[in-house]
Amino acid sequence: MDTKLTDIELIQRISNRDSKALEALYDRYSPVLYTLVKKIVNDKSKAEEVIAEIFVILWQKSSKIVVNSDNLYSWLINFTRNKALDFIRRESALIVDEYNDEYQDKFIFPNLSAFVPPNDLEQTFNRRDKIYSAFHNLTEAQQYVLSLAYYEGLSESDIASKLNIPLLTVKSKIRVALNSVKENLEKEENQ
Amino acid sequence: MIDEQKIIGMLQAKALGCLDPIEETDLQNYINEGHIFSWEELGQFQHAASLLPMALELEIPNAELKDRVALRLIKLSDELRSKKVLEEEKLEVEEDVEEFEKIETPYFEPLIEIESDVVEVQEDLVTDINQDEISFNLDEISLQEFEAVEVPYPQTSVFSEIEVPVENIVEQAAIEIPQVEEIKVEEAFADAESFTPPTENENIPDTTVESKQVAEQEDPNKQMDLTKKSVAEKMFKAIEQDFDSLKYQFDESEKKLTRGLLISYVIIAVLLALLIFSFFKFSSDIKSLENEVKSLEKNLSSQLFNKDRTNRDPYFFS
């Protein structure tokens, strides 16, 4: 398989039932997706199970994948996060709805804005240090709130009740934190 | 009505996927109502949020995981294939059943009653005959001459397709038997003896050429014969097919009948066996019971006898 193929080209080939393309996508994305899933589920074997399910879904439903912008990376990251969060919520019986195609389309497949800037894994890897510093430049409180929201899948009110702080404080912290990440990234790129 | 500023304030939480369900529905309603929505800003935040995992320390999954994924995919594809095969088989079976149901019952030609000029014997006439005149002279009887009867050609669905004049068919029915010339055995031997094989110089008469010429001369008549024959053959084939279908049905019903008979024979045999068995068993039981009764009677009488003896002679041995 040609390793120079873009993410979008790979997913197009997968939708044409090219198993080699799926293998290439696995080789390319499995480390980052596995890291994300393991962070969410906090267990190696469960993380592996979720990763396997993700690639099976990618193979089966590749024709359903709608990437509005030229950014498969964001789509895959959001899809993986949704799937991993759904996995742990089902394990703790927080979700009892039947997992079917309709549910998957509504809650697991991400509905991203068409204005998400184009991006792929290679670009993101090249900017990895900048991303790292952009996140670690945040205050500890901001980092923690972002972690609770993104990796634990807690809603703003859940975070407020967990940290025993007012909801408005949580809202402002989340707003400021993500704005800061975005601004830090822009700054890093301009340097 | 939701404030636009409030909506803008929700974008970060929306991008992180941590909006409260109520706010999520509010935002969705706002979008659905067709208000101006900052999709571009949301896209920026979604992009920033998706970069967060890159701040984590990357872990490489176990190499076996790739094989597991591949195995699962192979299993899935096999299952899908087998499902497809099953579905196809089901469809085929359904189609076969539909085709089978579509088969119409075979057409049987209606029986044609041929009207003949044969005078039916009336029952009354039999009674009129004098019993004394039963013996009759055969010479006095003169049989009525039968006139040639034209049988109407049946217009059936099978034959209606073949447009052939009836006359041709009737002509065809009269099969001409070729007249074989009688050759005496002696003449044949004489011819054989007088036969001398042709020498090398002599030209052997080309009989094949002659026969060809003869065939060419006879062609027009033969062609006529051939068309007649083909029509007749078709007719015979159709009739044969009808006979075959009748024969098949008859065979089927015969088979069913024999099967039914066999089953009934078996049932009767089993019942008979049971009857015989129960008869012998009961009779043996009765006999054994009788024997038992007899033995009991004997025992009882002997006991009584002994008792009597002991009671009667209490001091016999004293």
Side-chain angles (χ1 to χ4, degrees), chain B residues 169-185:
Chain B
I169 298 159
V170 175
E171 279 176 25
Q172 188 59 40
I175 302 160
E176 288 176 10
I177 301 160
Q179 293 291 320
V180 183
E181 283 181 23
E182 282 183 27
I183 304 162
K184 288 179 182 176
V185 182

Side-chain angles (χ1 to χ4, degrees), chain A residues 95-107:
Chain A
I95 296 174
V96 286
D97 296 341
E98 190 193 347
Y99 192 96
N100 51 25
D101 282 0
E102 197 187 341
Y103 177 88
Q104 191 167 264
D105 292 347
K106 200 175 176 185
F107 297 108

Side-chain angles (χ1 to χ4, degrees), chain A residues 27 35 81 113 157 171 179, chain B residues 20 23 39 45-46 59:
Chain A
D27 290 339
T35 306
R81 176 182 173 264
S113 164
S157 50
K171 278 180 185 287
N179 275 334
Chain B
D20 285 323
E23 285 183 330
W39 285 106
F45 284 125
Q46 281 177 332
E59 284 183 57

Side-chain angles (χ1 to χ4, degrees), chain B residues 149-201:
Chain B
V149 182
E150 281 188 15
V151 181
Y153 187 75
Q155 292 291 322
T156 56
S157 61
V158 180
F159 298 115
S160 59
E161 286 169 20
I162 311 160
E163 289 177 6
V164 183
V166 181
E167 291 163 10
N168 285 0
I169 298 159
V170 175
E171 279 176 25
Q172 188 59 40
I175 302 160
E176 288 176 10
I177 301 160
Q179 293 291 320
V180 183
E181 283 181 23
E182 282 183 27
I183 304 162
K184 288 179 182 176
V185 182
E186 290 166 2
E187 285 175 11
F189 276 111
D191 287 346
E193 279 168 7
S194 63
F195 176 75
T196 49
T199 54
E200 282 180 8
N201 295 332

Side-chain angles (χ1 to χ4, degrees), chain A residues 22-23 26-27 31-32 34-35 38 48 51-53 56 59-60 73-74 77 81 112-113 115-117 119 124-125 128 131-132 135 146 150-151 154-157 171 174-175 178-179 185, chain B residues 9-13 15-21 23 39-62 65-66 68-69 72-73 76 80:
Chain A
L22 186 78
E23 193 183 348
Y26 178 89
D27 290 339
V32 67
Y34 177 74
T35 306
K38 206 185 162 204
E48 285 178 348
I51 287 290
E53 272 183 38
V56 167
W59 179 248
Q60 284 183 315
Y73 169 84
S74 292
I77 290 287
R81 176 182 173 264
L112 295 180
S113 164
F115 292 93
V116 175
N119 190 21
T124 316
F125 260 117
R128 209 176 153 219
I131 294 162
Y132 185 85
F135 182 73
L146 273 186
Y150 197 74
Y151 297 118
L154 298 179
S155 67
E156 286 174 324
S157 50
K171 278 180 185 287
I174 282 172
R175 222 176 296 154
L178 202 62
N179 275 334
L185 275 170
Chain B
M10 287 179 186
L11 293 178
Q12 292 86 351
L16 282 167
C18 63
L19 265 179
D20 285 323
E23 285 183 330
W39 285 106
E40 204 172 338
E41 212 167 338
L42 178 69
Q44 294 286 341
F45 284 125
Q46 281 177 332
H47 174 62
S50 68
L51 293 174
L52 290 177
M54 276 293 164
L56 300 170
E57 267 186 43
L58 278 181
E59 284 183 57
I60 294 162
N62 200 333
L65 181 59
K66 194 177 173 181
R68 269 172 61 187
V69 172
R72 267 182 85 164
L73 289 169
L76 265 171
L80 280 171

Side-chain angles (χ1 to χ4, degrees), chain A:
Chain A
M1 177 57 61
D2 188 2
T3 48
K4 283 177 186 174
L5 287 172
T6 64
D7 290 353
I8 298 293
E9 283 171 338
L10 276 180
I11 203 74
Q12 280 169 353
R13 286 191 178 210
I14 291 167
S15 62
N16 291 327
R17 321 311 289 163
D18 184 350
S19 56
K20 290 276 173 194
L22 186 78
E23 193 183 348
L25 194 81
Y26 178 89
D27 290 339
R28 198 177 285 185
Y29 271 94
S30 62
V32 67
L33 298 185
Y34 177 74
T35 306
L36 172 61
V37 174
K38 206 185 162 204
K39 175 78 179 170
I40 293 169
V41 300
N42 236 338
D43 185 274
K44 196 187 162 192
S45 62
K46 284 176 188 172
E48 285 178 348
E49 202 181 320
V50 174
I51 287 290
E53 272 183 38
I54 282 165
F55 279 93
V56 167
I57 293 168
L58 281 175
W59 179 248
Q60 284 183 315
K61 310 286 175 187
S62 52
S63 56
K64 273 190 172 184
I65 295 169
V66 182
V67 184
N68 292 326
S69 61
D70 193 11
N71 191 340
L72 184 71
Y73 169 84
S74 292
W75 192 93
L76 274 176
I77 290 287
N78 277 288
F79 167 59
T80 305
R81 176 182 173 264
N82 293 345
K83 183 72 191 155
L85 286 173
D86 184 76
F87 180 86
I88 52 164
R89 282 170 186 162
R90 278 177 193 279
E91 269 209 333
S92 51
L94 289 169
I95 296 174
V96 286
D97 296 341
E98 190 193 347
Y99 192 96
N100 51 25
D101 282 0
E102 197 187 341
Y103 177 88
Q104 191 167 264
D105 292 347
K106 200 175 176 185
F107 297 108
I108 308 298
F109 285 164
N111 190 16
L112 295 180
S113 164
F115 292 93
V116 175
N119 190 21
D120 62 18
L121 192 69
E122 202 181 340
Q123 282 180 36
T124 316
F125 260 117
N126 292 337
R127 291 162 62 200
R128 209 176 153 219
D129 292 338
K130 290 169 189 171
I131 294 162
Y132 185 85
S133 57
F135 182 73
H136 286 277
N137 282 341
L138 298 174
T139 63
E140 274 190 12
Q142 285 173 336
Q143 282 182 37
Y144 187 52
V145 169
L146 273 186
S147 291
L148 287 175
Y150 197 74
Y151 297 118
E152 291 191 27
L154 298 179
S155 67
E156 286 174 324
S157 50
D158 290 337
I159 296 167
S161 58
K162 184 172 183 172
L163 299 178
N164 207 14
I165 53 171
L167 180 64
L168 281 173
T169 313
V170 174
K171 278 180 185 287
S172 72
K173 281 211 181 292
I174 282 172
R175 222 176 296 154
V176 171
L178 202 62
N179 275 334
S180 304
V181 169
K182 193 183 144 205
E183 282 164 14
N184 289 344
L185 275 170
E186 282 169 358
K187 260 188 216 171
E188 294 279 347
E189 272 170 27
N190 290 333
Q191 277 176 2

Side-chain angles (χ1 to χ4, degrees), chain B residues 37-234:
Chain B
F37 183 75
S38 49
W39 285 106
E40 204 172 338
E41 212 167 338
L42 178 69
Q44 294 286 341
F45 284 125
Q46 281 177 332
H47 174 62
S50 68
L51 293 174
L52 290 177
M54 276 293 164
L56 300 170
E57 267 186 43
L58 278 181
E59 284 183 57
I60 294 162
N62 200 333
E64 288 169 9
L65 181 59
K66 194 177 173 181
D67 298 335
R68 269 172 61 187
V69 172
L71 274 171
R72 267 182 85 164
L73 289 169
I74 290 163
K75 251 188 181 179
L76 265 171
S77 59
D78 284 347
E79 280 174 13
L80 280 171
R81 218 173 288 157
S82 58
K83 264 186 188 177
K84 267 188 183 176
V85 170
L86 275 171
E87 279 173 7
E88 279 172 7
E89 279 175 1
K90 265 187 185 178
L91 276 171
E92 277 176 11
V93 169
E94 279 170 11
E95 278 173 7
D96 287 348
V97 169
E98 278 174 11
E99 278 176 14
F100 183 74
E101 282 169 354
K102 276 178 190 171
I103 295 168
E104 290 173 7
T105 47
Y107 177 80
F108 296 112
E109 283 180 57
L111 289 169
I112 305 154
E113 286 181 10
I114 302 164
E115 287 177 15
S116 67
D117 288 347
V118 179
V119 182
E120 286 180 11
V121 179
Q122 291 176 358
E123 282 181 4
D124 298 343
L125 287 170
V126 179
T127 51
D128 289 345
I129 297 166
N130 193 346
Q131 291 297 317
D132 302 330
E133 295 171 2
I134 285 174
S135 58
F136 51 85
N137 191 359
L138 281 168
D139 295 336
E140 287 174 5
I141 301 165
S142 60
L143 287 168
Q144 195 178 352
E145 283 183 13
F146 291 101
E147 287 174 13
V149 182
E150 281 188 15
V151 181
Y153 187 75
Q155 292 291 322
T156 56
S157 61
V158 180
F159 298 115
S160 59
E161 286 169 20
I162 311 160
E163 289 177 6
V164 183
V166 181
E167 291 163 10
N168 285 0
I169 298 159
V170 175
E171 279 176 25
Q172 188 59 40
I175 302 160
E176 288 176 10
I177 301 160
Q179 293 291 320
V180 183
E181 283 181 23
E182 282 183 27
I183 304 162
K184 288 179 182 176
V185 182
E186 290 166 2
E187 285 175 11
F189 276 111
D191 287 346
E193 279 168 7
S194 63
F195 176 75
T196 49
T199 54
E200 282 180 8
N201 295 332
E202 276 179 356
N203 287 329
I204 300 161
D206 195 353
T207 49
T208 52
V209 176
E210 279 176 17
S211 64
K212 263 188 184 175
Q213 283 170 351
V214 171
E216 277 169 12
Q217 283 170 1
E218 288 172 358
D219 256 350
N221 293 331
K222 275 199 171 177
Q223 276 177 346
M224 285 290 284
D225 288 344
L226 278 169
T227 50
K228 285 173 188 176
K229 275 181 183 176
S230 61
V231 172
E233 275 170 7
K234 279 179 184 176

